Amino acid sequence: MPYVSPAHYTVPDSQACQQALALVKQFSPEFLVNHSLRSYAFGLAMNHKIKQGVDKEVFFVGAILHDIGLTDYVAQQDTFEVEGAIAAQAFALEQGLSAEQADLIHEMVALHNSVGVAHQCDPEIALLHFGAGADVAGLWIEDIHKKTLHEVLETYHDQGCQAGMIQLIQDQVTRKPHSYMSTMVDLGFLKKVAKHQFAHNPT
């Protein structure tokens, strides 16, 4: 797998990207902000898996907002992927992105946990699925260059991420027992998260 330098996953200098980052920082704990930034970086680091270009502005906005449904920015009445997708789509339109771009961001957020589906979709959807899965559960880590992995972790530390994500997911399952995440938990997703220790020993 190719080495991807930090310059490749810096935050794009566009209003939509900067405002999306500011929004997430306002409503999310630090560990969730850094998880979203690592998901963006890891997704780009695995671009070789799909061999297609991505709209970097769209990819960043979708990646940084992909867990906004876990925060108080949304109503917390529906499954967090769906609420987050609707909020992210509306945000993208407010920032002047096209309807097509906003629709893609919606699908990125809605499908980022969809095992067996996301990897067959648009490259932005697939790469967010790969990036988020690598960060939370250690999936596809072998597809990230070791130097890239170390540098991403040094740039966006994961202190508190494991415990924080488990708590957020448990809260979602308690609030919404019929949500997609409840099924994931029943299948052992939290056990996978709890075992994931790559940030402490990413070799």
Side-chain angles (χ1 to χ4, degrees), residues 137 181-195:
M181 185 51 70
S182 294
T183 302
M184 294 282 284
V185 170
D186 288 343
L187 292 172
F189 181 70
L190 285 184
K191 293 179 182 178
K192 184 74 173 176
V193 174
K195 290 180 180 178

Side-chain angles (χ1 to χ4, degrees), residues 11-12 14-28 32-41 56-74 76 79-97 101-113 124 128 132 165:
V11 179
S14 77
Q15 176 180 311
C17 292
Q18 297 296 327
Q19 290 298 315
L21 179 58
L23 176 67
V24 170
K25 286 182 174 180
Q26 179 182 352
F27 285 92
S28 306
L32 196 59
V33 176
N34 281 353
H35 159 64
S36 298
L37 288 165
R38 289 193 304 272
S39 297
Y40 169 70
K56 229 173 191 181
E57 182 178 39
V58 165
F59 187 61
F60 181 83
V61 173
I64 200 67
L65 293 176
H66 83 272
D67 276 341
I68 198 68
L70 293 172
T71 75
D72 290 338
Y73 183 72
V74 303
Q76 292 294 337
T79 182
F80 86 91
E81 297 96 339
V82 172
E83 280 192 313
I86 293 169
Q89 182 182 37
F91 172 86
L93 292 172
E94 290 168 3
Q95 293 299 316
L97 297 184
Q101 289 174 310
D103 287 347
L104 180 52
I105 288 168
H106 177 283
E107 294 302 284
M108 288 176 66
V109 177
L111 297 174
H112 76 268
N113 281 334
E124 291 84 358
L128 177 57
M165 289 298 294

